[in-house]
Amino acid sequence: MLVLRDVHAGYGRSRVLHGVDLAVPTDGVVAVLGHNGAGKSTLLRVAAGLLRPNAGSVELDGEDVTRLAPHQRVARGLAYVPQGQQCFPHLTAGENLRLVADGRRDGAVATAEVLDLFPALRPLLRRRAGLLSGGQRQQLALARALITRPRLLMLDEPTEGIQPSVVTEIQDRIVALTRQSGISVLLVEQHLGFALRVAGRYHVLESGRVTSTGDGGAGAEADVRAALAV
């Protein structure tokens, strides 16, 4: 599905990623874990096409997309939900969804499907997005991304600032998406329990380098904590 090969990237003269190799399989969930400043969000920006690497390549379904713009990657099935529950705060929740759905032949059907996936949004469609709680805005951000019917969903800290009940709901939705819809997920997360429960594979990133990797699952948390303590 997605393969990053020997990726080096940064901002100006500051180098953030140093030779990162990472693969996300079809129908799989891969978690990228690490402390603040490790380069996790930079990695997602490279994969999304928002930041061009200084060296290395990005492949999607075997095609080299390193030089493709973000919208071209979206057309190939990639969706990216940035950190911070991003939405258009002065528009209603419904208008936020319609911004993505309008112009798509299956927009109405896709919107109905995401509202089935996140039923808590239905009574909020006429409410301004800026008045929603953090958990509601995160569900709205996920719903907007899923209207595009992606094959690869990239999530940056989806549980940040969200109450535990909504974290569990998002966890359940990610698991359902991979099992029922075959969507692959690249997840950047600091909530280790959440990340390892949904991920089949994890990578620990430290100072822009992958320092540890292994299979997900609750039993991996001790190994990840040990890797992060180094």
Side-chain angles (χ1 to χ4, degrees), residues 101-110:
D102 285 352
R104 297 184 59 86
R105 287 181 297 177
D106 61 348
V109 173

Side-chain angles (χ1 to χ4, degrees), residues 4 7-11 14-18 20 32 37-54 58 80 83 154 156 188 205 208:
L4 276 66
V7 168
H8 297 252
Y11 306 94
S14 175
R15 294 293 176 260
V16 178
L17 300 179
H18 307 277
V20 171
V32 179
K40 305 185 300 299
S41 294
T42 298
L43 185 150
L44 288 187
R45 288 176 59 81
V46 169
L50 298 170
L51 178 66
R52 183 167 292 184
N54 301 103
V58 180
Y80 171 47
Q83 186 177 8
M154 302 196 307
D156 194 354
V188 160
L205 203 62

Side-chain angles (χ1 to χ4, degrees), residues 16-112:
V16 178
L17 300 179
H18 307 277
V20 171
D21 292 302
L22 183 147
V24 181
T26 302
D27 303 342
V29 181
V30 172
V32 179
L33 310 169
H35 297 297
N36 288 333
K40 305 185 300 299
S41 294
T42 298
L43 185 150
L44 288 187
R45 288 176 59 81
V46 169
L50 298 170
L51 178 66
R52 183 167 292 184
N54 301 103
S57 64
V58 180
E59 297 177 11
L60 189 61
D61 282 339
E63 177 188 6
D64 189 333
V65 298
T66 310
R67 295 185 176 277
L68 293 188
H71 72 275
Q72 294 173 304
R73 302 188 195 197
V74 169
R76 285 162 172 75
L78 186 149
Y80 171 47
V81 180
Q83 186 177 8
Q85 305 133 26
Q86 295 192 13
C87 62
F88 294 97
H90 297 297
L91 300 180
T92 66
E95 288 168 340
N96 268 268
L97 296 178
R98 285 196 294 274
L99 280 176
V100 181
D102 285 352
R104 297 184 59 86
R105 287 181 297 177
D106 61 348
V109 173
T111 300

Side-chain angles (χ1 to χ4, degrees), residues 38-212:
K40 305 185 300 299
S41 294
T42 298
L43 185 150
L44 288 187
R45 288 176 59 81
V46 169
L50 298 170
L51 178 66
R52 183 167 292 184
N54 301 103
S57 64
V58 180
E59 297 177 11
L60 189 61
D61 282 339
E63 177 188 6
D64 189 333
V65 298
T66 310
R67 295 185 176 277
L68 293 188
H71 72 275
Q72 294 173 304
R73 302 188 195 197
V74 169
R76 285 162 172 75
L78 186 149
Y80 171 47
V81 180
Q83 186 177 8
Q85 305 133 26
Q86 295 192 13
C87 62
F88 294 97
H90 297 297
L91 300 180
T92 66
E95 288 168 340
N96 268 268
L97 296 178
R98 285 196 294 274
L99 280 176
V100 181
D102 285 352
R104 297 184 59 86
R105 287 181 297 177
D106 61 348
V109 173
T111 300
E113 290 175 353
V114 299
L115 290 175
D116 287 340
L117 193 63
F118 297 102
L121 291 176
R122 287 190 182 278
L124 304 172
L125 292 178
R126 294 187 178 183
R127 186 176 300 179
R128 276 174 41 186
L131 299 178
L132 302 181
S133 69
Q136 291 164 344
R137 287 196 302 272
Q138 188 60 273
Q139 291 180 72
L140 179 60
L142 289 167
R144 286 178 56 201
L146 291 170
I147 286 176
T148 66
R149 298 190 185 279
R151 291 180 296 108
L152 173 64
L153 180 63
M154 302 196 307
L155 306 175
D156 194 354
E157 304 281 5
T159 69
E160 182 183 41
I162 294 177
Q163 60 267 38
S165 61
V166 179
V167 169
T168 300
E169 187 172 349
I170 290 174
Q171 171 186 307
D172 293 343
R173 295 301 178 269
I174 291 174
V175 171
L177 284 169
T178 57
R179 290 179 179 175
Q180 298 170 14
S181 304
I183 292 177
S184 299
V185 178
L186 177 57
L187 170 68
V188 160
E189 185 55 69
Q190 298 231 29
H191 189 315
L192 296 187
F194 167 84
L196 294 173
R197 281 193 295 270
V198 301
R201 193 78 175 159
Y202 72 83
H203 300 273
V204 174
L205 203 62
E206 287 290 335
S207 300
R209 294 179 172 84
V210 174
T211 58
S212 179

